[in-house]
Amino acid sequence: MQNRTANSKQTATGRQQAQPNPTTQQPRAPPQMVQNMARVTDPKHVPKDIRDQFLKKIHFCSQPYDFNDDTKNVKEKQERSQYLQELFDLLKEPNFVTNLVVPHLDLIIEMIEKNIFRPLPILKKTATNGEIGMEDDDQLIDPAWTHLQPVYEYFLQLIVNEQPDVKSLKIFITHSFIQEFLELFDSEEPREREYLKNILHRLYAKLVPRRKMIRKAINDCFYTLIHETYKFNGAAELLDILASIISGFAVPLREEHVIFFKTVIIPLHKVQTCQFYHEQLLRCSMLFLSKDPTLATFLVEGLLRYWPFANSAKEVMFLNELLEVLEVCEISKLEPLIPKLFKRLIKCIAGPHLQVADRAMCFFENDYFLTILKSYKPFTFPLLVPVIAQIADTHWHKVLQESLNALKTILKEIDYQAFDKALNTKDPKYLYIIQDAKNQKKDRQKIEEKWKNLTKQALQKNPNFKEPVVPYSDTHIVGEHNGLNNGNITIL
């Protein structure tokens, strides 16, 4: 019995060893067309039958199929994949590329256009998801991607190949081609966007005569994002390309590049979906500042102008970028922005969100920022000291309260007399920034009483007087006393 068991185990083991490992890739035999080309003695004279076979395969790959339904045209799709692989293998032989591919570039580019230029499928809800940190676990994959990927790979290798020269390619890379190509960047399939990025980057590097046209088309794409659509899936990939382009700009920067920085890079911060490409945008911004540090003040002004409202995660991103940009600024150039800068920091510190307040406090740990603070003491101390002194005693979070007390100590050490003078001011000018909602409501009631008295006086003098429609009321968020902290709105 034991011998039978042992024999059966040996037999099973033998069967397992005899079975081929499915993960091991067997060497693929060269396609028929490649084998035929290998027999050609003079690559400059390609036989007519091989040329006709090549053109037949290109024409076959140009045929449209419904790739979203795997049950349709199964045989044709398999044959198409095989032909694309054969066309791809031909690119590995320089002689064949020169004498077979380059003469038929028009048909090849047409085949690529018919495959990739298409209405983009909607793979998920089109509603803008403005919240950072929201997970997209239910993202769908484009069912057509497995059939599109070989075409993209072929296009990429065609451009990388040295045989198709600039003169041959630039004829087909027209303005309309670039426009349609850029529209594909809005695809929700990340792998497609990665291929698009690599192809466009290679085209820009290879086709020097088309560089200005490509840059202008990218600019137009971003103008549409900033002023019209507010959502574009490929913004991060395009900014990746721009980062490489910006790093190659000569110094001093040309006027068109400075205009691009002011009209595209800075306004891109205000887009609602900025968080999805902020990392790439920051890289482009810092590359520009490395070329011309004087642009830093324009970026600081833009950040303060487009500061996010009711989006704490985006505020943290802006604070990180603001501190990084301030370190590049010349202190003397910052004077016009100092009031806005410190008011914004105080609002962040006194705000209800802990992460925003904590990140704003990190500014005071930066030596260069403290130098800015010291350089403008006549303004910064009257603004900072009364506000910091009050919230250091009343802040709801213990850890931040300790940090605020430490900041008080730092301000005292910088200039004790200025600190004491600002602290003892009778009517601090900027204390309204952290004014309690109840006190604001009292102020509003006082102003309402003044308006009622004026209305009574007007009615006494003119019985036909009609009470004016005020630009704010208890139900409208308009006017000085109708902000989110007017006491009528609960912030959750």
Side-chain angles (χ1 to χ4, degrees), residues 175-420:
H175 180 68
S176 60
F177 178 91
I178 293 296
Q179 276 191 319
E180 287 194 74
F181 193 80
L182 286 174
E183 287 176 8
L184 294 174
F185 274 87
D186 201 25
S187 169
E188 295 178 354
E189 173 57 69
R191 293 170 295 181
E192 181 172 12
R193 297 200 303 268
E194 190 65 24
Y195 266 104
L196 291 165
K197 180 181 80 171
N198 292 331
I199 291 169
L200 186 60
H201 195 182
R202 296 285 185 175
L203 282 172
Y204 187 88
K206 189 166 187 174
L207 302 181
V208 177
R210 294 287 183 262
R211 285 184 178 180
K212 188 172 183 179
M213 184 187 73
I214 293 172
R215 287 201 305 270
K216 186 179 183 304
I218 293 174
N219 288 4
D220 293 341
C221 196
F222 280 125
Y223 287 142
T224 304
L225 170 63
I226 293 166
H227 302 294
E228 294 180 18
T229 60
Y230 310 114
K231 183 179 182 293
F232 185 68
N233 292 316
E237 285 78 11
L238 284 180
L239 286 169
D240 267 336
I241 297 171
L242 280 177
S244 301
I245 295 172
I246 294 165
S247 62
F249 284 168
V251 177
L253 292 173
R254 281 158 41 184
E255 186 181 0
E256 67 167 295
H257 299 151
V258 176
I259 292 171
F260 169 75
F261 177 78
K262 292 179 180 178
T263 59
V264 175
I265 295 295
I266 294 177
L268 274 173
H269 288 82
K270 77 174 182 178
V271 180
Q272 184 183 2
T273 53
C274 168
Q275 63 269 19
F276 298 120
Y277 57 79
H278 186 264
E279 181 183 345
Q280 293 80 8
L281 180 60
L282 176 58
R283 186 181 170 209
C284 289
S285 300
M286 298 312 295
L287 281 168
F288 262 110
L289 300 189
S290 68
K291 302 281 183 180
D292 186 358
T294 61
L295 295 174
T297 51
F298 295 102
L299 183 52
V300 172
E301 185 181 6
L303 287 169
L304 295 172
R305 186 190 308 132
Y306 302 131
W307 201 267
F309 174 76
N311 190 337
S312 55
K314 194 174 176 183
E315 276 194 278
V316 172
M317 288 195 310
F318 269 51
L319 286 166
N320 290 333
E321 182 173 359
L322 182 59
L323 183 56
E324 200 168 335
V325 174
L326 282 173
E327 292 180 347
V328 184
C329 290
E330 289 183 39
I331 295 177
S332 60
K333 303 281 186 181
L334 281 172
E335 185 173 357
L337 301 175
I338 290 296
K340 289 182 180 179
L341 172 63
F342 279 86
K343 282 180 188 177
R344 175 53 58 192
L345 287 175
I346 285 296
K347 287 180 180 178
C348 289
I349 292 171
H353 199 279
L354 180 61
Q355 288 182 344
V356 174
D358 185 58
R359 194 68 194 94
M361 287 296 295
C362 292
F363 277 65
F364 299 94
E365 298 173 7
N366 185 281
D367 292 336
Y368 192 77
F369 181 78
L370 288 176
T371 306
I372 296 172
L373 189 150
K374 294 173 187 176
S375 302
Y376 297 99
K377 282 188 295 183
F379 177 83
T380 57
F381 268 66
L383 193 157
L384 280 172
V385 172
V387 177
I388 295 296
Q390 181 163 331
I391 58 178
D393 298 329
T394 59
H395 201 277
W396 58 275
H397 198 277
K398 185 177 179 181
V399 174
L400 205 60
Q401 202 171 11
E402 292 172 359
S403 300
L404 289 163
N405 283 312
L407 178 56
K408 278 173 61 178
T409 306
I410 292 170
L411 294 172
K412 282 180 184 178
E413 291 174 354
I414 291 172
D415 190 334
Y416 182 82
Q417 291 181 344
F419 179 88
D420 197 45

Side-chain angles (χ1 to χ4, degrees), residues 33-51:
M33 191 165 62
V34 176
Q35 292 178 11
N36 294 340
M37 287 294 294
R39 298 191 190 102
V40 177
T41 55
D42 185 5
K44 293 183 180 180
H45 299 88
V46 180
K48 185 178 182 300
D49 60 329
I50 295 178
R51 191 181 298 274

